[in-house]
Amino acid sequence: MLDGLQKAGINLDEVAALAGLEADGLRKPLTSEQADRAFVVMYEKAGNPAAGLAVGLQPMRSELFGVVGFAGMLSSSFGAALARIARYNALVSACQIDLHLGAEECEVRIRYDGPLRPYSRSRLDIQMGTLLIFGRTFTERAIMPVRVTLKERPSYHALYAGAFGCPALFDQPHDTIVFRRADLDLPLVSANQRVAAMFEDAAERDLQTHTTPGNGTAAAVREILERQLHGDVPDIESVSRALFLSARTLQRRLAEEGVRFSTLLDEVRLEMAQRYLSAGRATLTEIAYLLGFSEPNSFFRSFKRWTGKTPADFRQTR
């Protein structure tokens, strides 16, 4: 970010002084209060509400990457890199990144949950642009997003379509950049699995000491399970592939969050069964099939073990 701001003609020493920091203070770890002061000054100095687009879409200098960037750029594919960046982004940014995988698209949602500040929109613009430039730089392919969406309509909204090379939608539920699912399979020219594992281990250690929500992996697994539970029983291998992880890494992350894959599978099956039963349109045999049970009696026994009621009794109470 500092490199991009400097290229945009902003004097960083002057920013540091106005923010009450030493001359080289911006390149050191900052408290939330110090970072806020610095960001406000940077935003005012830029004098352009669309400055985040210019900074985020700058060509990348890979030598400036920290542990998170290197763990991403050494990944085997663009999708694997996005998964790593999403997991470790809290180490370098206040923005949260969540991947939502569909059959044809991958929606990358970006959010900032902190208090609304003058630079909040710029921060999201920088993050969206950086992800696109990352993909283009390390796949050496002209990746074009499917679309970008914004929760608001900023004064410079007309610039988004040209900046990202895709349709831009406003007043949407989420701030997102959406990629084609096929683009996630593009290999990275910088891939090195052995070295990537070293950076991933370092990032994992840093994450353990960083205050972040602890249910990210479990929530992602639930979402994949619900999408895959339509006649077949998903296993940990299929879910880990959908998350661009190895089964071993997924098991480790779930263990760190204190949950087991089999428990999540049972919970998702129960939630879906209750929805199907409450809707009243599917027969009990159809529900058993949809949830991956080989025959109805297995579903009946499992449902009674989970709830203490038979499926028929549960439906009747609804």
Side-chain angles (χ1 to χ4, degrees):
M1 186 185 297
L2 295 177
D3 183 56
L5 289 166
Q6 205 162 26
K7 286 179 179 175
I10 293 176
N11 186 315
L12 297 183
D13 289 342
E14 188 177 350
V15 169
L18 290 172
L21 302 171
E22 299 293 330
D24 62 345
L26 293 177
R27 300 189 182 277
K28 297 178 180 178
L30 303 178
T31 66
S32 297
E33 183 184 7
Q34 289 172 328
D36 178 63
R37 294 203 307 268
F39 282 136
V40 168
V41 173
M42 290 174 190
Y43 184 78
E44 292 173 348
K45 281 288 179 187
N48 176 9
L53 290 177
V55 173
L57 292 166
Q58 286 270 3
M60 280 198 162
R61 291 176 56 192
S62 57
E63 69 271 19
L64 298 179
F65 279 18
V67 64
V68 180
F70 279 113
M73 66 182 279
L74 294 165
S75 301
S76 59
S77 67
F78 182 39
L82 285 176
R84 280 178 168 150
I85 291 170
R87 175 160 177 81
Y88 303 124
N89 203 55
L91 296 175
V92 294
S93 172
C95 291
Q96 176 76 30
I97 298 176
D98 299 303
L99 306 186
H100 293 261
L101 295 165
E104 303 294 333
E105 299 177 349
C106 174
E107 184 179 284
V108 184
R109 294 181 187 173
I110 303 167
R111 70 177 193 271
Y112 170 60
D113 295 330
L116 185 64
R117 304 296 292 142
Y119 54 80
S120 294
R121 180 68 254 167
S122 290
R123 174 173 288 199
L124 295 170
D125 290 344
I126 290 170
Q127 188 74 77
M128 290 170 65
T130 299
L131 292 175
L132 176 59
I133 296 303
F134 176 95
R136 290 175 174 174
T137 300
F138 295 109
T139 64
E140 294 187 349
R141 302 283 289 274
I143 294 173
M144 299 297 289
V146 179
R147 62 187 173 278
V148 294
T149 71
L150 279 74
K151 294 171 69 173
E152 58 184 305
R153 182 185 291 268
S155 59
Y156 54 95
H157 63 273
L159 299 179
Y160 280 88
F164 287 96
C166 65
L169 307 177
F170 305 97
D171 303 316
Q172 300 297 304
H174 306 283
D175 289 291
T176 71
I177 179 167
V178 182
F179 296 103
R180 291 174 178 80
R181 184 69 186 262
D183 287 337
L184 270 60
D185 296 328
L186 292 173
L188 301 193
V189 295
S190 50
N192 186 319
Q193 289 290 74
R194 182 179 62 83
V195 182
M198 296 167 57
F199 278 101
E200 187 172 37
D201 287 344
E204 284 290 339
R205 288 194 297 271
D206 289 348
L207 202 61
Q208 296 306 311
T209 61
H210 191 82
T211 304
T212 55
N215 63 347
T217 302
V221 168
R222 285 175 177 275
E223 185 176 336
I224 298 298
L225 286 172
E226 187 161 344
R227 192 157 60 241
Q228 291 186 351
L229 255 174
H230 291 287
D232 294 315
V233 183
D235 55 22
I236 195 165
E237 284 77 17
S238 67
V239 173
S240 62
R241 282 195 300 272
L243 292 171
F244 297 96
L245 301 172
S246 68
R248 182 177 179 182
T249 297
L250 179 55
Q251 284 179 320
R252 186 187 74 239
R253 291 184 183 177
L254 290 176
E256 289 168 357
E257 295 180 10
V259 294
R260 299 178 62 179
F261 180 81
S262 58
T263 302
L264 293 175
L265 177 59
D266 281 348
E267 289 173 354
V268 172
R269 275 176 142 179
L270 172 59
E271 290 168 7
M272 293 181 70
Q274 290 173 327
R275 288 206 300 271
Y276 288 140
L277 291 167
S278 298
R281 290 188 291 271
T283 68
L284 299 184
T285 299
E286 288 170 340
I287 294 172
Y289 167 76
L290 287 169
L291 298 178
F293 289 95
S294 57
E295 44 94 20
N297 284 338
S298 298
F299 167 53
F300 299 160
R301 287 193 298 270
S302 294
F303 192 87
K304 189 164 187 180
R305 173 168 55 84
W306 295 331
T307 67
K309 295 180 179 180
T310 67
D313 289 340
F314 180 88
R315 171 169 275 177
Q316 190 171 13
T317 62
R318 291 296 188 273

